[in-house]
């Protein structure tokens, strides 16, 4: 039951270039999407999010694009820096009662920035 | 900056034993969660907790699992009789209010032998 998929397990990008990480989903109930970054032996750290009513959200070097008709989102990092090397998880939020939510994660993409 | 903390960082236990994983969520947060990640697999939702009760649980969260918020600060996950397949990283998360993101703790690595 893979409601959120990240088809690239790994990605290598030269420092200074653009990193593009992709994510696909199947559940139309998802109304909010997030990207988390994870270093070894640490918990996921929130990076950026986008509501399903938007198609783009930008925060500094990070931009998330949402194509709702294709059920696809992507994270762009530009310029890529060595400190960006980590595992990136796409997560989709399904609303529950009382303002609560449940996150469904993708399998992650290991990004390596080559100096 | 406020953060979610978890103890212990690593717990080794024998099959059939009970374990309690502890979390201190961010102090003014209202929603609390447990997730787990089996080695090499994705992070999976276990349970969410709001207003002193479970609001949603996954099929993984069977009768062997329970959660408690025994006081105003701690949030615990108990596994009554551990199995080998319970070996995983367990992450606690908390969220402040509607529309905010979930903040994750560093995780507890549970090893069942």
């Amino acid at each position: 039951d893979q409601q959120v998929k990240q088809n690239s397990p790994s990605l290598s990008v030269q420092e200074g270039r653009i990193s593009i990480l992709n994510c696909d989903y199947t559940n139309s109930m998802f109304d909010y999407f997030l990207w988390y970054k994870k270093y070894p032996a640490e918990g996921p750290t929130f990076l950026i999010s986008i509501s399903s009513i938007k198609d783009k959200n930008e925060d500094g070097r990070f931009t998330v694009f949402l194509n709702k008709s294709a059920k696809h989102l992507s994270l762009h990092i530009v310029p890529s820096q060595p400190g960006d090397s980590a595992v990136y998880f796409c997560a989709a939020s399904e609303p529950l009662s009382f303002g609560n939510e449940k996150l469904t994660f993708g399998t992650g993409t290991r990004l390596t920035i080559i100096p | 900056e406020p953060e979610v903390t978890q103890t212990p960082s690593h717990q080794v236990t024998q099959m059939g034993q009970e374990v309690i994983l502890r979390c201190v969520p961010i102090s003014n947060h209202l929603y609390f969660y447990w997730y787990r990640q089996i080695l090499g697999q994705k992070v999976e939702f276990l349970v969410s907790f709001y207003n002193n009760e479970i609001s949603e649980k996954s099929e993984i969260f069977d009768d062997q699992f329970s959660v408690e918020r025994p006081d105003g600060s701690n949030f615990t996950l108990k596994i009554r009789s551990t199995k080998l397949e319970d070996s995983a990283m367990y992450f606690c998360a908390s969220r402040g209010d509607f529309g905010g993101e979930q903040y994750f703790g560093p995780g507890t690595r549970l090893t069942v032998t």
Side-chain angles (χ1 to χ4, degrees):
Chain A
D1 174 21
Q2 287 202 54
Q3 297 186 66
V4 179
K5 285 192 223 179
Q6 293 175 257
N7 289 321
S8 299
S10 63
L11 177 67
S12 293
V13 174
Q14 286 272 321
E15 182 179 357
R17 306 292 291 265
I18 183 170
S19 297
I20 301 176
L21 295 93
N22 293 302
C23 178
D24 297 292
Y25 64 96
T26 56
N27 189 343
S28 301
M29 297 297 292
F30 294 143
D31 67 348
Y32 191 68
F33 302 90
L34 308 93
W35 285 93
Y36 282 85
K37 179 177 174 179
K38 187 179 179 305
Y39 293 115
E42 292 185 14
T45 302
F46 170 74
L47 201 55
I48 192 169
S49 61
I50 188 166
S51 164
S52 60
I53 61 172
K54 296 191 171 182
D55 55 20
K56 177 181 172 181
N57 188 27
E58 195 170 349
D59 183 2
R61 296 186 297 115
F62 303 93
T63 304
V64 56
F65 295 92
L66 175 64
N67 182 334
K68 215 173 154 186
S69 61
K71 293 193 171 70
H72 176 85
L73 61 153
S74 60
L75 173 68
H76 293 211
I77 306 173
V78 57
S80 301
Q81 297 174 354
D84 296 330
S85 295
V87 178
Y88 288 78
F89 289 97
C90 169
S93 171
E94 184 179 342
L96 304 174
S97 53
F98 305 109
N100 206 347
E101 66 170 6
K102 170 178 135 176
L103 292 184
T104 301
F105 282 82
T107 48
T109 296
R110 180 177 302 279
L111 176 65
T112 303
I113 304 304
I114 304 162
Chain B
E1 188 177 321
E3 58 182 17
V4 177
T5 59
Q6 291 185 243
T7 54
S9 56
H10 190 188
Q11 173 92 46
V12 181
T13 189
Q14 288 194 323
M15 198 167 55
Q17 295 296 303
E18 175 183 287
V19 293
I20 297 176
L21 309 183
R22 290 185 166 78
C23 169
V24 179
I26 294 173
S27 65
N28 59 349
H29 281 189
L30 302 175
Y31 302 95
F32 311 108
Y33 308 87
W34 284 100
Y35 292 83
R36 78 171 185 191
Q37 184 181 27
I38 294 171
L39 187 63
Q41 298 186 24
K42 62 181 180 178
V43 176
E44 299 175 286
F45 169 81
L46 290 179
V47 65
S48 71
F49 193 84
Y50 168 72
N51 201 26
N52 285 319
E53 59 183 26
I54 290 174
S55 53
E56 178 87 5
K57 58 184 181 178
S58 71
E59 60 274 8
I60 303 166
F61 195 89
D62 62 22
D63 293 343
Q64 293 300 312
F65 291 87
S66 63
V67 288
E68 250 192 344
R69 187 153 161 82
D71 52 43
S73 58
N74 291 285
F75 180 49
T76 61
L77 174 69
K78 183 194 288 187
I79 309 175
R80 286 190 189 84
S81 177
T82 50
K83 307 187 205 56
L84 293 175
E85 54 266 35
D86 294 327
S87 294
M89 281 290 288
Y90 286 81
F91 295 105
C92 172
S94 71
R95 178 164 161 261
D97 54 25
F98 180 72
E101 60 270 10
Q102 293 184 27
Y103 289 83
F104 283 76
T108 292
R109 178 172 298 285
L110 176 66
T111 303
V112 183
T113 61

